[in-house]
Amino acid sequence: MTKSTDFFERVYDVVRQVPAGKVTTYGAIARYLGTAKSARTVGYAMNAAHAYADVPAHRVVNRIGLLTGKHHFGGINTMQQLLEVEGHTIVDDQIQGFSTAFWDPNECM
DNA sequence: ACCGTGACTGACG
DNA sequence: ACGTCAGCCACGG
């Protein structure tokens, strides 16, 4: 059903492609969708991602690897713990070695 | 159809 | 290098 939330589904589809142990950014997703300037809208879409268990929103962070959206996981430490389980190291809400853990959908295609 | 909001990003001082 | 400002798109009311 072509709903208005079609854009959201596009975002979820990209996030689902993010391999475990890797992370991506809102801008990378936005650019992959063709709307590079809609990075904010991507984050907005993640707000509704909670309704989708297949959407690892915890693997999506801002361009500097900062867990800006951790507050939206219900628990402030939820996002950080999820990433740690994936093998990441979080310090002060920032992913250590983010450049190495960064996964760009545009490169994977 | 208009306005306000937001898990962002890039540019400027 | 750090802090601040403005622009951008999509959704809800």
Side-chain angles (χ1 to χ4, degrees):
Chain A
M1 304 53 79
T2 314
K3 296 183 179 178
S4 304
T5 58
D6 185 44
F7 181 84
F8 282 29
E9 294 183 12
R10 299 288 173 82
V11 177
Y12 305 146
D13 187 45
V14 179
V15 177
R16 261 182 242 133
Q17 294 178 54
V18 179
K22 292 285 183 178
V23 292
T24 188
T25 67
Y26 304 98
I29 296 171
R31 191 158 69 93
Y32 182 81
L33 297 176
T35 55
K37 297 175 180 174
S38 309
R40 294 190 85 171
T41 311
V42 174
Y44 194 88
M46 304 311 301
N47 220 351
H50 284 271
Y52 302 78
D54 296 335
V55 182
H58 62 272
R59 292 181 191 156
V60 185
V61 296
N62 69 348
R63 70 175 182 92
I64 63 176
L66 197 66
L67 308 182
T68 53
K70 67 173 188 177
H71 294 163
H72 293 257
F73 276 75
I76 296 177
N77 293 331
T78 305
M79 187 175 185
Q80 180 174 333
Q81 290 183 1
L82 285 170
L83 289 169
E84 289 180 343
V85 172
E86 304 249 329
H88 295 292
T89 303
I90 316 299
V91 177
D92 190 24
D93 302 334
Q94 186 177 330
I95 298 176
Q96 303 304 294
F98 169 68
S99 302
T100 304
F102 176 63
W103 178 86
D104 190 340
N106 301 287
E107 293 181 358
C108 188
M109 70 173 174

